[in-house]
Amino acid sequence: MATLLAIGTAKGLFLATSGDDRRSWEITGPHFPMTGVYAVAVDTRHSTPRLLAGMTSSHFGPSVATSDDLGASWDEPDQAPVAFPADTGVSLGRVWQLMPAGPDQPDVVWAGTEPSALFKSTDGGRSFELVRSLWDHPHRPQWEAGFGGQAVHTVLPHPRDPARLLVAMSTGGVYRSEDAGASWAPGNTGIRAYFMPNEWPEFGQCVHKVARDAGNPERLYAQNHHGVYRSDDDGRTWSSIADGLPSDFGFPMVAHPGRGGTVWTFPLVADGERFPTDHRCRVFRSADAGGKWEPLSVGLPEGPFYPAVLRDAMCADEATPGGVYFGTRSGSVFASRDEGDSWSLVAAHLPDVLCVRAAAV
């Protein structure tokens, strides 16, 4: 079985495939050249994997395309698959997240968008409908735009209870549903918003990314706009796990898909200085749910290193041992086939890397 690494960039989608246990890679692309591909998903719930790509063209606008032959051909509907109803008075900026639901909902795919909204597909990602309950939430008029825009960038279905769903947005924070999206409640207790007059608000936090623990689905990890947190009650309350990291600012947060307690992140100096800490290329890993952190840099570039890693530009696969991947804003993509202990270069000189997703195909 091969490993597929989908790499969304500011100028198209690149697909890297490895058939030798992630030692070497063959790359095709760009697919959808000159479009920004902010969201990619590899849906492996069916016998034939489906690729989904959310791209934005400066000429044609945003859309979602699907492929059932690993990118050899693509289906892009004539009508935009994700679109706001006319009565909302807004238009779609881009799709920030594509997330297949659990295996008990094999045709459901969720989409998080800019402006901040959630859409649901029941046909495998070919068409989507706005989730009105979140759009009509009384907090929505007070959600603001972060530095990268106002967007729902995280969608996390609960793996054991299809009625439970979590989204995160910048800004606005974490919201939870326990009734399949019919209603929503904020889940930000313990997350600081240092930039607000009340630094501990009910909502309004600038959460950068949330990941769910594989061993304990009630456990979540969050990278905030200054702050790294863990929740042990499915996002109701949060506590800091930033001790041991060189900085509490960054964007990605990736949990091991097969083993509980293991999580990776890529710290940056601060919101006003978005360079890697100490100007070094280092991934940080915790194997005890954030109790301790260790830097990982074997095989990564040495010397001064300045590119950042964006919120969806890091991921992990389900192989054993696990593979970890990240792409930079300078167009380099790195892979580890031993859970971060060592790294190798997959690709260089690509456009700005916006997102990466990996799966066995």
Side-chain angles (χ1 to χ4, degrees):
M1 184 169 284
T3 299
L4 175 70
L5 181 63
I7 307 164
T9 79
K11 294 184 179 181
L13 174 68
F14 295 81
L15 299 176
T17 306
S18 175
D20 58 358
D21 194 22
R22 302 160 293 174
R23 289 181 174 86
S24 63
W25 299 86
E26 295 183 3
I27 300 176
T28 65
H31 306 260
F32 316 110
M34 301 308 296
T35 68
V37 180
Y38 283 78
V40 177
V42 185
D43 187 352
T44 59
R45 294 173 296 175
H46 303 277
S47 57
T48 300
R50 171 169 291 174
L51 306 184
L52 300 99
M55 64 278 193
T56 303
S57 164
S58 59
H59 182 74
F60 296 106
S63 187
V64 174
T66 61
S67 173
D68 292 331
D69 52 16
L70 301 181
S73 63
W74 293 88
D75 179 21
E76 184 179 352
D78 292 334
Q79 299 294 321
V82 181
F84 282 91
D87 67 288
T88 62
V90 301
S91 59
L92 179 67
R94 62 173 55 101
V95 175
W96 280 79
Q97 183 84 155
L98 291 165
M99 176 59 68
D104 53 342
Q105 297 177 305
D107 294 316
V108 173
V109 179
W110 300 96
T113 69
E114 177 188 343
S116 291
L118 180 67
F119 287 76
K120 181 180 181 180
S121 171
T122 56
D123 58 7
R126 291 187 172 89
S127 64
F128 292 80
E129 291 188 5
L130 176 67
V131 177
R132 284 280 186 172
S133 55
L134 186 62
W135 181 254
D136 293 334
H137 197 283
H139 292 172
R140 185 180 65 80
Q142 300 177 69
W143 297 341
E144 300 290 345
F147 186 73
Q150 185 204 66
V152 169
H153 52 64
T154 298
V155 183
L156 293 178
H158 195 284
R160 298 176 185 171
D161 184 353
R164 293 161 67 182
L165 185 67
L166 179 144
V167 301
M169 66 189 76
S170 179
T171 66
V174 172
Y175 282 77
R176 306 172 56 257
S177 176
E178 297 184 349
D179 52 14
S183 64
W184 298 85
N188 300 293
T189 301
I191 298 180
R192 182 178 176 227
Y194 86 91
F195 47 83
M196 298 181 69
N198 171 15
E199 294 189 356
W200 304 97
E202 180 187 15
F203 65 95
Q205 287 84 347
C206 187
V207 176
H208 287 178
K209 196 65 187 175
V210 181
R212 191 183 297 277
D213 189 86
N216 176 7
E218 305 301 301
R219 176 170 288 169
L220 301 164
Y221 307 94
Q223 173 65 65
N224 194 54
H225 189 105
H226 280 295
V228 183
Y229 298 94
R230 188 184 75 216
S231 172
D232 294 321
D233 54 10
D234 196 31
R236 293 175 179 85
T237 62
W238 300 83
S239 57
S240 177
I241 55 171
D243 287 350
L245 288 169
S247 168
D248 66 356
F249 187 84
F251 288 95
M253 181 62 68
V254 174
H256 195 297
R259 185 175 67 248
T262 298
V263 63
W264 296 270
T265 188
F266 192 97
L268 304 178
V269 175
D271 54 358
E273 191 176 347
R274 300 183 182 203
F275 301 114
T277 55
D278 301 320
H279 296 164
R280 297 173 62 189
C281 186
R282 294 179 297 176
V283 173
F284 279 74
R285 177 180 63 196
S286 175
D288 59 0
K292 297 183 296 294
W293 296 91
E294 60 177 322
L296 309 169
S297 61
V298 175
L300 294 177
E302 298 180 357
F305 188 84
Y306 300 102
V309 176
L310 297 179
R311 74 180 90 241
D312 277 311
M314 178 181 282
C315 70
D317 66 27
E318 297 183 352
T320 303
V324 189
Y325 311 86
F326 71 91
T328 72
R329 300 207 68 177
S330 62
S332 296
V333 179
F334 299 93
S336 170
R337 53 191 296 271
D338 52 17
E339 305 191 357
D341 289 338
S342 62
W343 300 85
S344 61
L345 183 68
V346 174
H349 312 301
L350 297 180
D352 187 351
V353 177
L354 305 175
C355 61
V356 294
R357 289 293 181 268
V361 295

